[in-house]
Amino acid sequence: MTQLAGREGSQIDLPEPNEGRFATPHDVRDDAARDTEGGVSVVLALGSNLGDRAATLRAAVREIGELDGVELVAASPLYESAAVKPDGVDTDAPEYLNAVVGIRYRGTPNDLLDAVNRIEAEHGRVRAERWGDRTLDIDLIVVGTLQQGDARLTLPHPRAASRDFVLAPWLDIDPDAEIPGVGRVADLLRAMPNTVRRHDGDDSAAGGDGEVTR
Ligand SMILES: Nc1ncnc2c1ncn2[C@@H]1O[C@H](COP(=O)(O)OP(=O)(O)OP(=O)(O)O)[C@@H](O)[C@H]1O
Ligand SMILES: Nc1nc2c(c(=O)[nH]1)N=C(CO)CN2
């Protein structure tokens, strides 16, 4: 039975040293084929600023958990913030709800990106302009300790370290979180202005009060 913890006491099950420490996507594929047990720890960030944002995020968390090779480990509370656009904060745009989920994953990073892109599309995601308003965005933030500069998939996500709408929910589910090659999430968050607030009400991306059993 998998416990999906939300707020307090929840943690992403980070890999032991060397576990999930992959040098190239090719290595990930090889290792994923061998590692039929736990897979690698992956952190995904979700955002929505159109439609029923909370319902979309909760549905997306459920759908991520149903993907092949995925075991949900933790889901953060929901955070609200003004939309950041290429020219700065846009107070006229609908506000975002954001959340972070931790999973264990057996498969290749590219397959996971394809799978989350399909979930985005099923929720009506339209790609029109850079950082345009969207029903659902799902980004891969870290895949184990993999560092790669691929245009299609850059890991860790190149803008995660400067986004408190990613770091704040991530810290909630993993107080020891680190961005490989960058630093500790707690330190990054402390050094930047706070632009997020907890979303009122039923506040876990997993639904209910954050504790889900499946
Ligand atoms: N770590 C990553 N996670 C998700 N997409 C990525 C990543 N690295 C590169 N990409 C690529 O970025 C492209 C644009 O993705 P997307 O439309 O979700 O960007 P965005 O959410 O608008 O902006 P941002 O990447 O700043 O969050 C995708 O086609 C994808 O292939
Ligand atoms: N507040 C907020 N602003 C954004 C977000 C987001 O998730 N939250 N995502 C963006 C592109 O991914 C651009 N701007």
Side-chain angles (χ1 to χ4, degrees):
M1 192 176 285
T2 301
Q3 286 271 305
L4 217 192
R7 229 183 330 183
E8 270 135 38
S10 57
Q11 274 203 315
I12 297 178
D13 185 15
L14 289 171
E16 297 300 317
N18 290 325
E19 193 192 338
R21 205 172 279 257
F22 302 121
T24 66
H26 181 71
D27 287 345
V28 175
R29 189 184 306 270
D30 287 351
D31 214 278
R34 277 199 307 275
D35 178 6
T36 51
E37 296 202 352
V40 63
S41 290
V42 174
V43 174
L44 302 170
L46 288 72
S48 169
N49 78 333
L50 292 179
D52 186 339
R53 303 166 304 164
T56 301
L57 293 182
R58 291 197 188 100
V61 170
R62 200 175 52 247
E63 289 155 13
I64 289 167
E66 289 165 359
L67 291 174
D68 278 354
V70 167
E71 179 193 346
L72 276 175
V73 176
S76 77
L78 303 177
Y79 281 81
E80 193 155 31
S81 59
V84 179
K85 296 288 173 82
D87 294 335
V89 172
D90 182 352
T91 49
D92 292 332
E95 294 212 312
Y96 272 85
L97 284 188
N98 287 100
V100 160
V101 298
I103 64 173
R104 298 287 298 181
Y105 178 63
R106 290 191 305 277
T108 71
N110 280 338
D111 284 350
L112 183 59
L113 181 62
D114 288 341
V116 299
N117 283 169
R118 276 195 297 275
I119 293 175
E120 290 175 341
E122 283 161 13
H123 284 276
R125 167 77 184 269
V126 175
R127 284 187 165 77
E129 60 186 279
R130 182 163 191 248
W131 295 1
D133 300 333
R134 71 274 310 267
T135 48
L136 179 64
D137 182 38
I138 307 175
D139 289 333
L140 275 61
I141 303 302
V142 293
V143 175
T145 56
L146 180 62
Q147 298 183 52
Q148 67 175 35
D150 247 66
R152 174 153 198 265
L153 182 56
T154 303
L155 291 168
H157 189 287
R159 288 166 288 285
S162 58
R163 292 177 164 173
D164 65 342
F165 56 78
V166 172
L167 302 181
W170 187 2
L171 193 67
D172 281 344
I173 61 168
D174 181 12
D176 300 320
E178 274 190 49
I179 304 183
V182 178
R184 288 169 50 80
V185 167
D187 296 338
L188 293 165
L189 207 45
R190 210 175 299 117
M192 67 178 67
N194 177 56
T195 70
V196 297
R197 59 198 176 280
R198 282 282 294 274
H199 181 58
D200 284 334
D202 178 1
D203 62 1
S204 166
D209 61 4
E211 192 92 0
V212 174
T213 307
R214 70 179 171 92

